[in-house]
Amino acid sequence: MKNPISYGILLTVIAYMLFTAHDSVVKLLVTDIPVWQILFWRSCTILAGCFLAEGPSLARKVRRSPIIKPMIVRSILLVIAWTSYYSAARYLQLAEVTTLYYAAPIVGTILATVVLREKVTFVRWMAVGLGFCGVVIASNPVGLSISWPVYLALQAAVLWATGMVLLRKTALHEKSHIQMAVSNIIFILLTATMAILHWHTPSAYQVLLLFGTGVIAGAGQLALFEGMRQAPVSVLAPFEYTSLISAFLLGFLIWGDIPKANTFIGAAFILSAGLIIIVSERMKGRVATV
């Protein structure tokens, strides 16, 4: 980790591994606890962690932060994205919704060229395409046709990618703890009413899991925010696919889901996409130092 891009890649991979673990805990909770309540509890836990990290000065720093407006926009986009994703997941098979959602890195790379003016090399485009092929092979969707749930899944992908581009813009102008505090305050405000209306009193075990979602998601957000400070979106986009490998691994460890042969073939494509980016960036770094 001798250069910012390598550090950004490492943090991004860790972030998506943590997000996959977070989704696994949510899957355990969502059978009894409403999604709104989970998101509300999670944001409260993360905000408490931000206060522990920054101290009493956090409120003053948040009020004076220059990134409040773009973070409000980003938070609204993510709430709509997650609502769209969970709604689509109710009607589509896991393989179908996963494949559609992983259009996000492709959309993110396109937006990075338009919004952030990033110069996306052929190698980066190849890595994004290779990773998406790996997702399609691993997920093996069949019989997919245009429908309202399909639209919702694609909408979630576009909104998530847009949120990542906005995160890159704000990450360069504010500390990660402040960004996390602003984002989760907005989430609390957006989810509080629905959480109260659909409140389900959790058991002691569920309270522990709810607290765990906040801790895991908070660590994931910190890693992602810091990663976005270090490297361009077009470099980090293909590494979102690595979360699929974590998903299959956790599915096996927690629910006993046994991956099929196509899963391992798809995983090889995804890992190859990541290695292409790593090798390419290392070669560029060496050329720059010559």
Side-chain angles (χ1 to χ4, degrees), residues 231-264:
V233 171
S234 56
V235 171
L236 300 179
F239 291 94
E240 185 172 350
Y241 295 129
T242 59
S243 62
L244 185 64
I245 300 174
S246 303
F248 284 125
L249 179 60
L250 288 173
F252 172 72
L253 293 175
I254 299 174
W255 292 281
D257 298 336
I258 300 177
K260 297 179 181 179
N262 61 290
T263 301
F264 293 101

Side-chain angles (χ1 to χ4, degrees), residues 130 134 245 263-273:
L130 188 63
I245 300 174
T263 301
F264 293 101
I265 296 172
F269 273 73
I270 293 168
L271 290 174
S272 298

Side-chain angles (χ1 to χ4, degrees), residues 69-289:
K69 289 183 180 179
M71 288 300 286
I72 290 174
V73 174
R74 179 177 179 272
S75 297
I76 292 173
L77 291 177
L78 291 187
V79 167
I80 298 173
W82 282 337
T83 303
S84 300
Y85 180 81
Y86 287 124
S87 299
R90 293 177 60 186
Y91 302 100
L92 298 176
Q93 296 179 6
L94 178 62
E96 294 173 339
V97 73
T98 298
T99 303
L100 291 167
Y101 180 74
Y102 276 112
I106 299 174
V107 176
T109 303
I110 295 172
L111 289 176
T113 63
V114 177
V115 178
L116 302 178
R117 306 297 181 183
E118 290 183 8
K119 183 179 180 181
V120 183
T121 64
F122 171 76
V123 171
R124 295 178 187 176
W125 281 116
M126 183 173 64
V128 170
L130 188 63
F132 186 72
C133 288
V135 170
V136 174
I137 293 171
S139 301
N140 192 28
V142 293
L144 189 63
S145 59
I146 299 300
S147 62
W148 183 247
V150 169
Y151 166 77
L152 289 175
L154 290 173
Q155 175 176 274
V158 172
L159 293 176
W160 173 260
T162 306
M164 290 304 98
V165 172
L166 286 174
L167 178 58
R168 172 64 177 174
K169 289 180 72 70
T170 59
L172 301 176
H173 302 288
E174 187 59 275
K175 291 174 61 177
S176 294
H177 286 134
I178 307 302
Q179 293 185 73
M180 290 171 62
V182 173
S183 179
N184 284 283
I185 288 171
I186 297 167
F187 264 85
I188 289 171
L189 295 175
L190 291 174
T191 60
T193 301
M194 294 297 291
I196 294 171
L197 292 175
H198 297 87
W199 187 265
H200 174 88
T201 302
S203 64
Y205 173 67
Q206 289 170 335
V207 168
L208 185 63
L209 290 181
L210 286 167
F211 178 73
T213 61
V215 173
I216 296 171
Q221 285 185 16
L222 181 60
L224 182 64
F225 283 32
E226 286 294 321
M228 286 289 177
R229 293 169 66 90
Q230 306 297 326
V233 171
S234 56
V235 171
L236 300 179
F239 291 94
E240 185 172 350
Y241 295 129
T242 59
S243 62
L244 185 64
I245 300 174
S246 303
F248 284 125
L249 179 60
L250 288 173
F252 172 72
L253 293 175
I254 299 174
W255 292 281
D257 298 336
I258 300 177
K260 297 179 181 179
N262 61 290
T263 301
F264 293 101
I265 296 172
F269 273 73
I270 293 168
L271 290 174
S272 298
L275 288 174
I276 286 173
I277 289 290
I278 292 172
V279 171
S280 172
E281 295 301 324
R282 285 179 65 88
M283 290 178 64
K284 286 173 60 178
R286 288 177 180 177
V287 171
T289 57

